[in-house]
Amino acid sequence: FVSSGRTSLNRVNKVKSCMIKSTALKRESPYKQIIPTNMPGEKGHIFIGADEATWGKEGTGWVTYDPEFECTGGSTDPADKVCPYKLKESDTLGLSTTGWDDRLLHLNIASFRDPLCPRTLKYLFTKAKRPFSIRVRILQQNIPSEDKDCLEEYCNMMAQLRSETGGGDTSKGGPAGDDCPHRNQVFIHQVHATEAAGPTFARGLIGKDMHVAYV
């Protein structure tokens, strides 16, 4: 899920003030760690923290990533082995467990009066390797008389890009004659901003929409 919304000018100024003070102090974050060059591990490494006072030396620093531990949690009982990164046959809906054929990438966005929502859609589709495999659901919490519609403004941006590039694939705004590429891959659930009740409420509604659509 992605949650987005407006940031007040006062909050921005406070953040800038904090950044200036932090720079003036010239302090380095205790969490800015560099992976030791001599550390083994073909699967990568994980930084688990710097708080030695709480967790001790063994519970901090860098550790070698072990995908097998992610499956077992350290248990030696085969019945406990469940690998979250491996797709089970029962979850494939008849598709192959590998490859991109017939697979979709779903993105849910809970947006509250966010002027950057259209740009998010533009970047999402124009920078994607497989834009036709993307499905987007947006819970748009706007005041229609004051805020721009996310999908409509995205379409305007794509038209502008198309006029600048001459059109073509999605990265160039789509082919000439297509008024809004990938429009049918975006679902908008409209809620008036005065009826919004926070990100959990928004995610719950959009989750219900997905359940109705696919279950």
Side-chain angles (χ1 to χ4, degrees), residues 8-81:
S8 68
L9 183 60
N10 288 338
R11 185 177 177 186
V12 171
N13 289 336
K14 287 180 180 179
V15 171
K16 288 181 179 178
S17 175
C18 289
M19 291 173 65
I20 293 171
K21 290 179 180 178
S22 177
T23 304
L25 290 174
K26 295 184 179 180
R27 282 187 184 173
E28 294 236 347
S29 167
Y31 299 100
K32 186 178 180 181
Q33 302 287 337
I34 300 175
I35 303 176
T37 56
N38 61 345
M39 189 173 186
E42 297 180 358
K43 303 294 184 180
H45 307 86
I46 300 174
F47 182 64
I48 58 175
D51 186 3
E52 290 189 13
T54 302
W55 305 107
K57 196 169 185 63
E58 294 299 318
T60 56
W62 287 95
V63 296
T64 301
Y65 172 62
D66 179 9
E68 190 66 18
F69 184 85
E70 192 173 348
C71 299
T72 64
S75 173
T76 57
D77 186 346
D80 293 334
K81 186 170 182 177

Side-chain angles (χ1 to χ4, degrees), residues 74-139:
S75 173
T76 57
D77 186 346
D80 293 334
K81 186 170 182 177
V82 179
C83 300
Y85 58 85
K86 289 184 179 179
L87 190 64
K88 296 183 293 184
E89 292 287 348
S90 59
D91 295 332
T92 61
L93 300 177
L95 300 176
S96 170
T97 55
T98 59
W100 286 95
D101 292 343
D102 299 318
R103 297 194 184 283
L104 300 176
L105 174 65
H106 295 274
L107 178 68
N108 294 341
I109 302 177
S111 172
F112 181 81
R113 307 193 68 188
D114 185 10
L116 298 181
C117 182
R119 187 182 299 179
T120 300
L121 287 182
K122 176 189 174 184
Y123 288 162
L124 175 66
F125 285 112
T126 58
K127 297 181 180 297
K129 187 175 182 179
R130 301 178 179 84
F132 288 95
S133 297
I134 298 173
R135 299 293 182 271
V136 186
R137 290 181 178 272
I138 301 173
L139 189 80

Side-chain angles (χ1 to χ4, degrees), residues 151-169:
L151 182 56
E152 294 305 320
E153 188 61 20
Y154 155 77
C155 293
N156 293 337
M157 287 182 172
M158 293 299 279
Q160 177 64 31
L161 178 61
R162 200 160 50 250
S163 69
E164 295 169 356
T165 63
D169 61 16

